[in-house]
Amino acid sequence: MLASRIFSRGFASSSFQRGAKVAVLGAAGGIGQPLSLLLKLNPHIDRLSLYDIVNTPGVAADLSHINTNSTVTGHKGPEQLGAALKDAQVIVIPAGVPRKPGMTRDDLFNTNAGIVKTLAEAAAKHAPKAHILVIANPVNSTVPIVAEVFKKHNVFDAKRLFGVTTLDVVRASTFVGQTKKTNPENINVHVIGGHSGVTIMPLLSQTGTKFSKEEIEALTNRIQFGGDEVVKAKDGTGSATLSMAQAGARFTDSLLRALGGEKGIVEPTYVKSHVAAKDGVEYFSTNVELGPEGVSKIHDIGPMSDYEKKLYEAAIPELKNNIKKGVDFVNKA
Ligand code: NAD
Ligand code: LMR
């Protein structure tokens, strides 16, 4: 289902009117390039704007030869950032350094917080009404960073800010499909919380599939630490890029279709949310219905097994710390 949604030109006839400008910041990177390729194939986009501090003229020239009905522009360096962002409806941010083996996502904070803050400042200035899709890690902290920057510029709208956690649900359905020997495209796992280790909480009890205790423990661990699997296999050369590009393209496509008026589009995403507010957590991922203004309806967590309730208890302190770290980075600077 997802593969056909990304690659089939058949979806060109959906209800969305043409005309979106999408900007990718960090477009020359490991995620940025394949993500930009997939977005060049997306018929809902007619202007694709590629920004990075290196190599975007080449990436843009290359993609511009693909005969889909959209234009591609390359923008390199801070002096071209404003032009890259101007009139963008959607801004996707994969800019930032990836992990090496032995690192946590939080270890990326010192480098990536500053990168995301700078890009958010430019977005607040040049495209204050754009929908911002944050891929750069640590997502649990970089999303609050963007929010605080937008608040400082008096342009914050929680309906337009998303942490992209799609890769967690993509992985969850893949791993469950492998375990149960079924087509993963037909499996939907509600993954809640954040995007790092124990803050990633797959609610396998909501799938309607029966699992043994051993299967639940093994699958939960693999979904929580799926990113580490790729980091280890890449052996110091980076983290997930190709699966992330697919996940990022899927989320962007879902949002564009919702902005264009298509109904009933639900994606899990890390947003400013009421669902864990009673536990002092301001940003949280659950299924979110997308609409013409971005976030339309944030779904509740739903029923959790005793095992999942323990996952939730373990995740809350880390999420709180991650969020506070992002908020403080902007406000105590
Ligand atoms: P990469 O190093 O291959 O690419 C990053 C790109 O960002 C580079 O091209 C670099 O030049 C660019 N960049 C650096 N500073 C910049 C700035 N100030 N402005 C614009 N561009 C800048 O890394 P990658 O593998 O593409 O990963 C990018 C980020 O995405 C990392 O932080 C990684 O942890 C994260 N990630 C998130 C998820 C997720 O599920 N949300 C999944 C995979 C990776
Ligand atoms: C992932 O989940 O693959 C990304 O967050 C990258 C990482 O550091 O694992």
Side-chain angles (χ1 to χ4, degrees):
M1 187 183 75
L2 298 177
S4 58
R5 234 168 61 189
I6 296 296
F7 292 112
S8 158
R9 299 296 297 162
F11 74 155
S13 60
S14 82
S15 62
F16 192 85
Q17 75 270 21
R18 299 190 59 83
K21 173 174 173 178
V22 175
V24 180
L25 314 184
I31 296 167
Q33 291 201 38
L35 173 62
S36 301
L37 168 62
L38 293 170
L39 297 180
K40 177 69 175 106
L41 304 181
N42 189 313
H44 307 317
I45 297 171
D46 76 356
R47 282 169 298 164
L48 185 58
S49 164
L50 307 183
Y51 175 78
D52 203 302
I53 50 174
V54 292
N55 297 342
T56 32
V59 177
D62 191 353
L63 288 179
S64 73
H65 288 193
I66 296 174
N67 65 336
T68 52
N69 196 11
S70 54
T71 55
V72 186
T73 50
H75 309 266
K76 191 174 92 171
E79 61 292 343
Q80 296 186 10
L81 181 53
L85 294 170
K86 190 173 177 298
D87 300 327
Q89 277 99 24
V90 173
I91 298 170
V92 194
I93 311 184
V97 294
R99 285 197 285 164
K100 291 191 187 312
M103 291 172 80
T104 66
R105 292 178 183 79
D106 188 53
D107 292 335
L108 302 172
F109 187 94
N110 287 345
T111 308
N112 289 353
I115 293 174
V116 171
K117 179 168 173 269
T118 304
L119 296 173
E121 276 160 355
K125 201 162 142 211
H126 297 285
K129 297 232 178 278
H131 295 80
I132 313 284
L133 280 50
V134 184
I135 292 174
N137 271 317
V139 168
N140 294 357
S141 306
T142 49
V143 168
I145 287 173
V146 175
E148 293 306 308
V149 168
F150 271 56
K151 284 180 199 169
K152 278 192 181 265
H153 286 76
N154 293 317
V155 292
F156 179 58
D157 182 345
K159 294 198 289 301
R160 297 198 291 257
L161 175 60
F162 308 87
V164 181
T165 56
T166 321
L167 184 53
D168 299 317
V169 291
V170 167
R171 282 186 180 130
S173 53
T174 302
F175 300 160
V176 170
Q178 286 169 357
T179 300
K180 292 298 185 188
K181 300 188 175 36
T182 52
N183 182 349
E185 291 187 59
N186 299 329
I187 294 163
N188 219 329
V189 184
H190 191 199
V191 183
I192 64 163
H195 178 68
S196 72
V198 299
T199 72
I200 300 170
M201 293 172 272
L203 301 183
L204 296 169
S205 68
Q206 291 183 8
T207 57
T209 304
K210 283 249 175 303
F211 298 98
S212 67
K213 183 170 172 290
E214 291 70 31
E215 282 176 334
I216 290 171
E217 287 172 3
L219 277 167
T220 301
N221 186 270
R222 193 168 178 213
I223 295 162
Q224 290 187 318
F225 297 96
D228 299 58
E229 236 176 70
V230 182
V231 170
K232 195 163 165 233
K234 290 201 174 178
D235 199 17
T237 63
S239 56
T241 53
L242 303 173
S243 50
M244 182 60 235
Q246 191 274 342
R250 161 179 155 177
F251 189 81
T252 309
D253 179 63
S254 292
L255 178 64
L256 289 172
R257 289 189 291 122
L259 295 178
E262 205 174 311
K263 298 262 182 290
I265 298 180
V266 175
E267 288 283 1
T269 170
Y270 181 75
V271 292
K272 187 165 172 7
S273 173
H274 65 277
V275 300
K278 68 173 179 11
D279 296 309
V281 172
E282 203 184 344
Y283 296 87
F284 200 85
S285 182
T286 53
N287 279 335
V288 171
E289 185 165 345
L290 304 171
E293 297 184 342
V295 172
S296 171
K297 181 171 187 277
I298 297 173
H299 290 217
D300 285 325
I301 291 171
M304 289 192 282
S305 66
D306 288 345
Y307 178 79
E308 290 158 359
K309 284 180 188 156
K310 289 208 183 82
L311 296 180
Y312 181 89
E313 296 303 322
I316 291 299
E318 183 156 335
L319 263 176
K320 263 194 205 163
N321 280 341
N322 294 161
I323 293 166
K324 182 172 181 317
K325 195 167 170 179
V327 171
D328 288 352
F329 179 75
V330 177
N331 294 308
K332 294 194 176 155

